Amino acid sequence: MKKNCILCEPGAREKVVLHGGKWRIILADEAWYPGFCRVIWAAHVAEMTDLEEKDRQEIMTVVFAVEQAIRHVMRPDKVNLASFGNMVPHLHWHVIPRFSDDAHFPESVWGQKQREPDPLVLQNRRALLPELERLIRQIPDKPVKAL
Amino acid sequence: MKKNCILCEPGAREKVVLHGGKWRIILADEAWYPGFCRVIWAAHVAEMTDLEEKDRQEIMTVVFAVEQAIRHVMRPDKVNLASFGNMVPHLHWHVIPRFSDDAHFPESVWGQKQREPDPLVLQNRRALLPELERLIRQIPDKPVKAL
């Protein structure tokens, strides 16, 4: 645990959908991006190659399980995956459902805004979140399947 | 092979460092980011979860091997990994050495520019590329090690 790292402990406002032994899956608080998930490694490490191979395999299996759940429930036009950590060098993956009508498409969500998203469309996507959460909670704590 | 997909075949100006059977590793033509690599899956698939598990494992093993080579040679402050495909929905991973003095840090390279990078610093980083290429060419064609 590193002092002052905001990812070392779940924040008070963080919506944790599933706690694994070595990771947690949260639903990000991004108004324009319902279904935007983060997979956060529990231990304070910066890079994927700081992890042992079995842990690398474990977190990627979880990331891909989240992608699968998002695709199944939300039918996005594309899924975006990213691990940056420039601001908070504590390993975490962004798993983002992207739609051609979303605020930034086809730019990355960190790029230039392209349009004002339709509030009704966002509301319809938010309505899918309980089902997404239900599927995510079925991800095994310790994935047993090989990647 | 999909018609008009610019990633289905290596472009004429694309610098391929290593051709694997199912993927290729290129050095991106990004003036501000010497060492910016892309790992491009050969077949035209859009998402990681479109791949079979063994292929998912293979491409991630290659991505992490590239991260390892970048860290060894360039000693970046952070490595950024991303798979988007919003513009070209053909699976590819960005593997990017990030430095606190680079053009966008701590923003993503797709975000707002933060500063003009020092040309001398860029030149020194470019001088590391032959060594980076040498290490990347040692990545096994078909990674044999488990992830």
Side-chain angles (χ1 to χ4, degrees):
Chain A
M1 188 106 65
K2 193 171 155 71
K3 211 176 154 184
N4 297 330
C5 172
I6 61 164
L7 292 182
C8 271
E9 285 188 278
R13 295 177 51 221
E14 204 181 275
K15 183 169 177 57
V16 180
V17 180
L18 185 65
H19 260 294
K22 294 185 165 183
W23 42 264
R24 63 189 188 271
I25 302 170
I26 74 166
L27 212 44
D29 185 21
E30 303 281 353
W32 290 339
Y33 291 99
F36 186 145
C37 294
R38 290 195 183 97
V39 181
I40 304 168
W41 192 250
H44 188 84
V45 299
E47 308 286 5
M48 280 301 293
T49 48
D50 289 334
L51 294 182
E52 290 177 29
E53 284 187 12
K54 68 175 174 47
D55 287 341
R56 245 182 264 171
Q57 176 172 350
E58 179 166 335
I59 191 169
M60 294 318 296
T61 304
V62 174
V63 166
F64 300 139
V66 172
E67 172 179 304
Q68 196 69 273
I70 285 174
R71 292 181 74 184
H72 185 77
V73 175
M74 307 195 73
R75 307 275 166 197
D77 295 313
K78 191 70 196 65
V79 176
N80 287 179
L81 304 174
S83 167
F84 296 147
N86 304 327
M87 302 198 193
V88 184
H90 176 131
L91 187 62
H92 59 286
W93 281 90
H94 306 277
V95 187
I96 315 167
R98 299 298 308 276
F99 296 89
S100 58
D101 61 3
D102 74 29
H104 299 83
F105 202 90
E107 297 295 327
S108 94
V109 304
W110 297 275
Q112 188 90 41
K113 189 180 169 187
Q114 302 295 310
R115 66 191 64 81
E116 199 56 48
D118 182 334
L120 195 61
V121 167
L122 288 180
Q123 189 182 318
N124 289 340
R125 283 181 196 145
R126 268 195 298 274
L128 301 171
L129 297 185
E131 178 61 6
L132 177 61
E133 290 180 45
R134 195 183 66 79
L135 280 198
I136 287 175
R137 280 193 297 266
Q138 290 174 13
I139 295 173
D141 170 14
K142 172 85 184 168
V144 284
K145 227 172 155 191
L147 184 64
Chain B
M1 188 105 66
K2 194 173 155 69
K3 212 177 152 182
N4 298 328
C5 172
I6 61 165
L7 292 181
C8 272
E9 286 188 277
R13 294 177 52 220
E14 206 181 272
K15 185 173 175 57
V16 180
V17 182
L18 185 65
H19 259 295
K22 295 186 165 184
W23 42 263
R24 63 188 188 270
I25 302 170
I26 74 167
L27 212 44
D29 183 23
E30 303 280 354
W32 290 340
Y33 291 98
F36 187 142
C37 293
R38 290 195 183 97
V39 181
I40 303 169
W41 192 248
H44 187 83
V45 297
E47 307 286 5
M48 281 299 294
T49 49
D50 289 333
L51 293 183
E52 289 178 27
E53 285 187 13
K54 66 176 176 44
D55 287 341
R56 246 181 263 170
Q57 176 172 350
E58 179 166 335
I59 191 170
M60 295 317 298
T61 304
V62 174
V63 166
F64 300 138
V66 172
E67 173 179 303
Q68 196 69 274
I70 287 174
R71 292 181 74 183
H72 185 77
V73 175
M74 306 195 71
R75 307 275 166 198
D77 295 314
K78 192 68 194 67
V79 177
N80 287 179
L81 304 175
S83 167
F84 296 146
N86 304 326
M87 303 198 191
V88 184
H90 177 132
L91 188 61
H92 60 284
W93 280 90
H94 306 277
V95 187
I96 316 166
R98 299 299 310 276
F99 295 91
S100 58
D101 60 5
D102 74 30
H104 298 85
F105 201 91
E107 296 296 328
S108 93
V109 302
W110 297 275
Q112 188 90 41
K113 189 179 168 187
Q114 302 294 310
R115 66 190 66 79
E116 200 56 47
D118 182 333
L120 195 62
V121 167
L122 288 180
Q123 189 182 318
N124 289 339
R125 283 182 196 145
R126 269 194 298 273
L128 301 171
L129 296 185
E131 177 62 7
L132 177 61
E133 290 180 46
R134 197 184 65 79
L135 280 198
I136 286 175
R137 280 193 296 267
Q138 291 175 12
I139 294 173
D141 170 15
K142 170 86 184 169
V144 284
K145 225 173 156 191
L147 183 64

